[in-house]
Amino acid sequence: MSATATRSETREMARRRTSPVGRATRDALAVTWRNLIAYKRVPQLVVFSTIQPVIFVLMFRYVFGGAINTPGVPYVDFLMPGIFVQTTVFGSLAAAIGLATDLKSGLLERFRSLPMARSAVLAGRTMADTTRNVFVVLLMAGVGFLVGFRIHSNVFAFAFALVLVVLFGYVMSWIFATLGLAVGDPETAQAAAFPALAPLVFASSAFVPVSSMPGWLQVWARNQPVSVTVEAVRDLVLGRPATGHVLGALAWAAGILIVFAPLAVRRYRRAV
C-alpha cells in the first residue's frame, strides 16, 4: 500500500516539475492514444471508414468519368485531388460523433475531475482523427495509382499536397468537434453534420469543373474552402502554378482554426 502511494506521489512530483506546456502535451498525447486504441480494438471502424472513399473512386472513375469533361486533363487525375480532400472532410465527422458519445456517457465529466489539462481532450480527439486521416489518404493514393492516377509534377509537390490535405482535415475536425459538443448526442451529431457537409463537398470543384455549374452557384463553389483546397492540391499534382491556391488554402485553414478552436473550447467548458 505504501509502495503504491510512493509511486503515486513520485508521479505527481514529476508532473509538477514539468512545464505547463509539457504537461498539456503529455496529456494530449495520452488522450490521442486512448482514441487510437478504439480503432485497434474495433478495426471495423477503420475498415468501413475506408470503404466509402474507395467506392467514390471506383464509381466516379468508371461510372461517371466518361460523362464528365475535363479538357486537357485525364478525369482520374482531375478526380483524385477531390477524393483526397473529400475523404478527410468526411473523416473529420468522427470528432463530432466521438465527443458527443463521450459527453453523453459522462466520460468528459470524469476527464474534468482528473488532474489533466483542459485542452487535452479536444487536442487528443483532433490529433487522433488526423492520424487516421494520414492512413486513409495514403490508402486512397494507392487506390488512385491502381486505377490510373498519375503525378504530373514531382514527388515533393505531391508530398506537400498530401500534407495540405491532412492539414485541412485537421482544421475541419475543430468544426465538427464544436458541433458534437453543441448537440451532445452521437446520432444527432451525425444527422446535423450532413447539412454542413453537403454544400461543402458536393457544391465544390472536387468532382466536376466549376464552369459546368449554374452561374449563381459558381461564386460559392469557386471560393469556398473545399474548392480552394482541392484546386491547390490539383495544381500541385498536375504541375500547374500553385502559389495562389496554396496561399488561399492556408488562409482558409488558419481562419477556420482561429474561429472554431476557441468555440470548441468554450463549448467544452460549458458542456462539462
Side-chain angles (χ1 to χ4, degrees), residues 167-197:
L167 172 63
F168 188 69
Y170 172 75
V171 301
M172 289 296 294
S173 292
W174 285 97
I175 295 179
F176 291 105
T178 305
L179 176 66
L181 291 170
V183 300
D185 178 79
E187 290 81 8
T188 305
Q190 189 169 12
F194 185 76
L197 287 173

Side-chain angles (χ1 to χ4, degrees), residues 9 12 17 30 34 57 68 121 131 151 155 159-160 180 187-188 206 208 231 233 237 249 266:
E9 291 172 359
E12 183 61 25
R17 287 196 297 267
R34 174 255 176 189
V57 171
I68 300 174
V121 174
T131 303
I151 302 169
V155 66
F160 181 66
E187 290 81 8
T188 305
V208 298
E231 290 302 323
V233 175
V237 168
R266 185 177 180 183

Side-chain angles (χ1 to χ4, degrees), residues 22-271:
R23 290 197 297 268
T25 301
R26 186 179 63 184
D27 292 342
L29 291 176
V31 177
T32 299
W33 180 243
R34 174 255 176 189
N35 291 322
L36 289 176
I37 287 176
Y39 293 118
K40 181 180 179 180
R41 292 177 176 172
V42 190
Q44 295 91 333
L45 292 174
V46 177
V47 172
F48 286 108
S49 66
T50 56
I51 287 177
Q52 184 183 47
V54 170
I55 291 174
F56 267 96
V57 171
L58 299 177
M59 183 174 63
F60 277 90
R61 172 70 174 93
Y62 295 112
V63 178
F64 300 122
I68 300 174
N69 185 28
T70 53
V73 180
Y75 181 67
V76 65
D77 295 338
F78 178 93
L79 170 68
M80 288 309 301
I83 292 291
F84 292 147
V85 176
Q86 174 256 337
T87 298
T88 57
V89 172
F90 275 69
S92 63
L93 178 59
I97 298 174
L99 285 171
T101 301
D102 291 344
L103 180 60
K104 188 175 182 179
S105 67
L107 184 61
L108 294 189
E109 292 182 2
R110 186 176 181 184
F111 280 152
R112 187 174 185 178
S113 68
L114 296 174
M116 61 185 293
R118 294 284 183 87
S119 61
V121 174
L122 295 176
R125 177 75 258 179
T126 54
M127 288 168 62
D129 293 340
T130 300
T131 303
R132 187 195 67 86
N133 274 339
V134 170
F135 167 75
V136 176
V137 167
L138 292 177
L139 177 62
M140 289 304 98
V143 173
F145 289 131
L146 288 176
V147 299
F149 171 59
R150 296 295 179 266
I151 302 169
H152 298 262
S153 53
N154 55 66
V155 66
F156 300 105
F158 181 60
F160 181 66
L162 296 187
V163 169
L164 200 61
V165 169
V166 174
L167 172 63
F168 188 69
Y170 172 75
V171 301
M172 289 296 294
S173 292
W174 285 97
I175 295 179
F176 291 105
T178 305
L179 176 66
L181 291 170
V183 300
D185 178 79
E187 290 81 8
T188 305
Q190 189 169 12
F194 185 76
L197 287 173
L200 283 172
V201 174
F202 298 108
S204 73
S205 62
F207 306 120
V208 298
V210 173
S211 59
S212 66
M213 301 179 187
W216 58 269
L217 185 57
Q218 289 185 24
V219 177
W220 159 259
R222 186 173 286 111
N223 298 291
Q224 55 115 324
V226 168
S227 288
V228 174
T229 305
V230 167
E231 290 302 323
V233 175
R234 195 169 280 148
D235 290 344
L236 289 166
V237 168
L238 296 179
R240 303 186 304 207
T243 302
H245 283 132
V246 168
L247 291 177
L250 293 175
W252 267 114
I256 292 171
L257 195 60
I258 289 170
V259 172
F260 283 95
L263 284 177
V265 172
R266 185 177 180 183
R267 290 301 314 181
Y268 173 70
R269 288 175 176 171
R270 288 184 175 181

